[in-house]
Amino acid sequence: LLNTTENELTVDELLTAANSLERLQKHQEVLAICERGIELRPNNYGLWDIKGVALQRLGRLQEGLDAHERAAALQPDDPIVLNNKGLALTDLGRYDEAIDAFDRALRIDPTYDSAGTNKCWLLLKAGRVREAVQACDQVLVADPNCSEAWNNRGIALGKLGLFTAALHSYERAVAIAPWYATAWYNKGLVHRDLKEPSAELSAYESALRADPK
């Protein structure tokens, strides 16, 4: 692929190839393609964005953020770009800035589940549990079938000691996504907190069926 001439592959084709290789986790190859594409079209925000993803996954976190910031500067109203910038900031421990990036993505597209669930999870990680519940609720208003938001909501409610409400959230998560092993496991933990050993064991067994690993 990289030995072809510039005339043989357009920038769009290079971007398509980079995305395909990234799904295969061939991060070095992605990086090489993006760098070539950026030489041809330095203002193509998509190439900067996928370059940032590849750099992050190679552990080059600051360089990854730099690439995402370039993408966001070129295309400030793209929620996917802002979400990816938020993830890069999260990897660097810059949580407040990451939450701001997720919020900006959600202002542009309130239905963008990824930004909402990432915000909820990050608020949990930062110990801002009540805000995490609110963030999950906002996702669920836009998409009541977002199993990840129900799971994260259950975690937050459990941390607040609201075990029955947490259980309801996990039940919604596994009803939507019966293969969601993490939600089944978390459901088991809540049954333990509620001193329901039979239901706890059943939930763990469901988690193992969903993911034997």
Side-chain angles (χ1 to χ4, degrees):
L1 177 63
L2 294 180
N3 292 325
T4 56
T5 66
E6 289 182 4
N7 292 330
E8 289 175 325
L9 284 176
T10 67
V11 171
D12 284 346
E13 288 169 332
L14 288 170
L15 184 55
T16 298
N19 278 301
S20 297
L21 287 168
E22 186 56 41
R23 285 192 290 272
L24 296 172
Q25 300 184 34
K26 296 187 176 181
H27 310 309
Q28 288 286 4
E29 290 92 334
V30 171
L31 191 55
I33 289 174
C34 288
E35 287 175 347
R36 176 181 169 187
I38 287 167
E39 287 179 7
L40 299 173
R41 293 289 186 275
N43 292 327
N44 185 293
Y45 77 92
L47 288 167
W48 283 105
D49 189 51
I50 193 67
K51 178 181 178 180
V53 172
L55 286 164
Q56 280 177 264
R57 291 174 180 168
L58 289 167
R60 296 161 63 178
L61 302 182
Q62 184 58 54
E63 291 175 84
L65 175 59
D66 292 343
H68 287 305
E69 287 184 331
R70 181 65 182 271
L74 292 166
Q75 191 73 15
D77 295 327
D78 188 308
I80 296 174
V81 169
L82 291 167
N83 181 63
N84 287 341
K85 178 182 175 181
L87 292 172
L89 287 161
T90 300
D91 286 343
L92 289 166
R94 293 163 61 175
Y95 295 160
D96 288 342
E97 293 170 84
I99 289 168
D100 180 65
F102 297 139
D103 279 336
R104 287 171 59 199
L106 289 165
R107 282 196 293 273
I108 294 164
D109 182 1
T111 68
Y112 186 33
D113 289 353
S114 292
T117 54
N118 287 334
K119 177 185 175 182
C120 179
W121 179 249
L122 185 53
L123 287 166
L124 276 171
K125 192 172 182 179
R128 296 160 61 178
V129 180
R130 293 186 185 279
E131 291 176 77
V133 175
Q134 293 173 352
C136 290
D137 286 344
Q138 288 171 355
V139 175
L140 293 167
V141 168
D143 182 5
N145 291 319
C146 181
S147 57
E148 188 176 356
W150 283 113
N151 179 68
N152 289 349
R153 185 176 187 271
I155 295 170
L157 291 167
K159 287 180 178 294
L160 293 170
L162 301 172
F163 300 128
T164 301
L167 180 59
H168 171 73
S169 290
Y170 293 132
E171 286 173 343
R172 290 294 302 271
V174 298
I176 295 162
W179 59 88
Y180 196 172
T182 300
W184 279 113
Y185 178 77
N186 289 338
K187 183 174 183 287
L189 295 178
V190 170
H191 282 302
R192 183 191 65 188
D193 291 327
L194 291 169
K195 297 180 170 54
E196 298 171 345
S198 178
E200 177 187 358
L201 179 59
S202 177
Y204 294 151
E205 289 172 345
S206 294
L208 286 171
R209 282 194 296 271
D211 185 1
K213 294 181 290 186

